[in-house]
Amino acid sequence: MRRLGTGIGWRPEIADAVEEMPGIDWVEAVSENLCPGHLPDSLLRLRERGVTVVPHGVSLGLGGADRPDPGRLAALAERAEALGSPLVTEHIAFVRAGGALTASPSLEAGHLLPVPRTRDALDVLCENVRVAQAALPVPLAVENIAALVSWPDEELTEGQFLYELADRTGVRLLIDVANLHTNHVNLGEEPARALGELPLEAIAYVHVAGGFERDGVWHDSHAHPVARPVLDILTDLASRVAPPGVLLERDENFPDGDELRGEVEAIRVAVEKGRAAATGTGAAARTSRTGTRAAFGADDAVRQRLGLAQTALLSALVAGTPAPEGFDRVRLGVQARALAGKRADVVGKVAPELPVILGARYRPAFLAYAQDRPMTSGYRRDALGFVEHVLRTAPGEGEDPGVRRELREWWLERSGPVPRSSRPGARLARATRRVLLRR
């Protein structure tokens, strides 16, 4: 595997700090936030300096019951080619459920949700990974995710699941040590055991990120400093294998450049500590293989079973339906609140005018809206749906009429296929729509 070195997640908010940071060999950018024909100047300058850029996808849903969407795969491939990337990465997760496979409404999670570690789910995942590999111009690496809930009746540990996935498909692994720590706190899974079961030679690179603990639950926030236990897991991994690359992820609550540099340096120190303590135990630790299964695809019955199970879980999280049997209802409640909060945050970024117009009312109003209105498309459609709901709801006592006027104007400006025209005929059409909205 090509050596990447030390990297940091590129985000627009810290673009200047990343460009000025010494010792950065590569960066990773969220694929869905990039437009190949209009790449940010900062990324172009980094590429000109010889800094590798890796696109990191978040929306394929390789662990879902449906086969990967060709359009999403084409978009990921286009970004890899535009950036001259040596590989692309995605997640072992499902992000949507429902639809034709289950004859139920389509639901979007807006988040990475865990795949059950069962033989059926592994068969589906392996086939989906092969489909993705065939459509991409460069190698694919897939990432283990953090989870607040676990599936009942799982048949494999995380390490066994990842081993068989890599063994059956040849896919590379992106190991997130922060996610191993999250699953240790939330699910009681031992990071050392997971590392011992991994095919270490398949590791493409490693993610390191921060989080926080609240009421016994670890939240993988990517908005807090990297915790010492996460660095310790990184040291353990580095004592078993020299990772080709290690990268700091930060998505929110960005610190100044000095603090970012300090976190990157702490990561370097943790890796060096592991290499100094290398004992050669990696190969011996990988003796718990569960046996390789023939590389057949998943038939429609297997996909439908998985689809029904994932739809039931996602519906409980975003639509308030009863919790599926065997799940921890308290943990499902924590996950549901986290999903609603993330949804409010992302809509507030996609449509930054809404928190300004509504002020302190925005978040409680959106959370109330989200309770029984699951997301069925993207965040932009979600923002429009939220404003439609507010406009159709009777004004609250003491509500400023100007707020409602601003919301109506915002919705009218964005709800059509093209921006509004200032011509008289267009003004008449807008006036007609305003009348209809009042009914």
Side-chain angles (χ1 to χ4, degrees), residues 188-222:
E189 298 177 352
E190 286 299 325
R193 178 179 179 182
L195 291 178
E197 292 172 339
L198 290 177
L200 299 178
E201 67 281 358
I203 293 178
Y205 62 87
V206 178
H207 270 175
V208 185
F212 66 95
E213 187 171 352
R214 178 185 295 156
D215 299 328
V217 175
W218 186 267
H219 296 269
D220 178 46
S221 67
H222 291 197

Side-chain angles (χ1 to χ4, degrees), residues 140-186:
L140 170 69
V142 291
E143 178 182 356
N144 60 304
I145 71 163
L148 286 175
V149 297
S150 60
W151 287 79
D153 303 321
E154 292 191 315
E155 299 166 337
L156 302 166
T157 66
E158 180 162 31
Q160 292 166 346
F161 193 81
L162 294 175
Y163 199 122
E164 290 215 21
L165 171 64
D167 195 41
R168 289 169 54 173
T169 66
V171 74
R172 296 286 181 172
L173 299 178
L174 161 50
I175 298 301
D176 190 315
V177 291
N179 292 349
L180 292 179
H181 175 66
T182 301
N183 294 346
H184 170 63
V185 176
N186 295 345

Side-chain angles (χ1 to χ4, degrees), residues 100-439:
L101 186 66
T102 59
S104 61
S106 297
L107 298 172
E108 290 280 342
H111 188 70
L112 303 165
L113 295 176
V115 176
R117 296 183 203 133
T118 62
R119 291 289 179 184
D120 276 0
L122 181 61
D123 285 346
V124 171
L125 176 62
C126 286
E127 184 177 349
N128 287 351
V129 165
R130 290 190 206 100
V131 170
Q133 287 172 314
L136 294 170
V138 293
L140 170 69
V142 291
E143 178 182 356
N144 60 304
I145 71 163
L148 286 175
V149 297
S150 60
W151 287 79
D153 303 321
E154 292 191 315
E155 299 166 337
L156 302 166
T157 66
E158 180 162 31
Q160 292 166 346
F161 193 81
L162 294 175
Y163 199 122
E164 290 215 21
L165 171 64
D167 195 41
R168 289 169 54 173
T169 66
V171 74
R172 296 286 181 172
L173 299 178
L174 161 50
I175 298 301
D176 190 315
V177 291
N179 292 349
L180 292 179
H181 175 66
T182 301
N183 294 346
H184 170 63
V185 176
N186 295 345
L187 309 178
E189 298 177 352
E190 286 299 325
R193 178 179 179 182
L195 291 178
E197 292 172 339
L198 290 177
L200 299 178
E201 67 281 358
I203 293 178
Y205 62 87
V206 178
H207 270 175
V208 185
F212 66 95
E213 187 171 352
R214 178 185 295 156
D215 299 328
V217 175
W218 186 267
H219 296 269
D220 178 46
S221 67
H222 291 197
H224 295 77
V226 178
R228 171 49 54 185
V230 173
L231 293 174
D232 290 342
I233 297 171
L234 176 60
T235 295
D236 186 3
L237 185 151
S239 74
R240 302 165 186 261
V241 66
V246 182
L247 178 132
L248 172 67
E249 283 190 298
R250 188 76 176 234
D251 295 330
E252 300 280 353
N253 191 27
F254 297 102
D256 60 30
D258 288 341
E259 187 172 338
L260 280 175
R261 284 190 287 273
E263 293 219 318
V264 171
E265 183 58 29
I267 288 170
R268 284 198 186 96
V269 170
V271 171
E272 291 168 2
K273 181 180 177 182
R275 298 311 302 148
T279 59
T281 59
R286 299 197 304 276
T287 57
S288 54
R289 284 189 62 188
T290 56
T292 302
R293 203 174 184 197
F296 299 121
D299 61 31
D300 288 343
V302 170
R303 286 185 177 275
Q304 187 175 54
R305 284 198 301 271
L306 179 62
L308 290 169
Q310 291 179 338
T311 301
L313 174 58
L314 185 51
S315 181
L317 291 172
V318 303
T321 58
E325 185 177 356
F327 282 92
D328 184 324
R329 287 168 172 75
V330 174
R331 283 292 174 87
L332 285 185
V334 173
Q335 179 73 87
R337 290 189 292 275
L339 290 180
K342 179 179 180 180
R343 186 176 161 193
D345 291 341
V346 176
V347 166
K349 290 180 178 179
V350 169
E353 304 87 356
L354 299 183
V356 174
I357 295 171
L358 289 167
R361 286 183 51 214
Y362 167 73
R363 192 173 183 84
F366 188 91
L367 294 178
Y369 158 79
Q371 279 185 349
D372 56 0
R373 293 171 183 82
M375 187 164 62
T376 58
S377 188
Y379 284 108
R380 286 177 174 81
R381 178 62 253 180
D382 205 24
L384 287 168
F386 167 61
V387 174
E388 289 168 8
H389 167 73
V390 173
L391 291 174
R392 289 178 177 141
T393 303
E397 185 176 349
E399 180 179 319
D400 181 358
V403 169
R404 191 163 288 254
R405 283 195 300 271
E406 286 189 71
L407 286 177
R408 185 179 291 111
E409 285 298 314
W410 183 92
W411 185 86
L412 289 169
E413 185 66 34
R414 292 160 179 80
S415 58
V418 295
R420 293 193 298 162
S421 170
S422 59
R423 291 178 300 170
R427 288 200 299 269
L428 177 61
R430 292 202 298 269
T432 303
R433 290 168 73 185
R434 290 193 188 98
V435 171
L436 293 174
L437 275 172
R438 295 191 190 106
R439 294 181 178 178

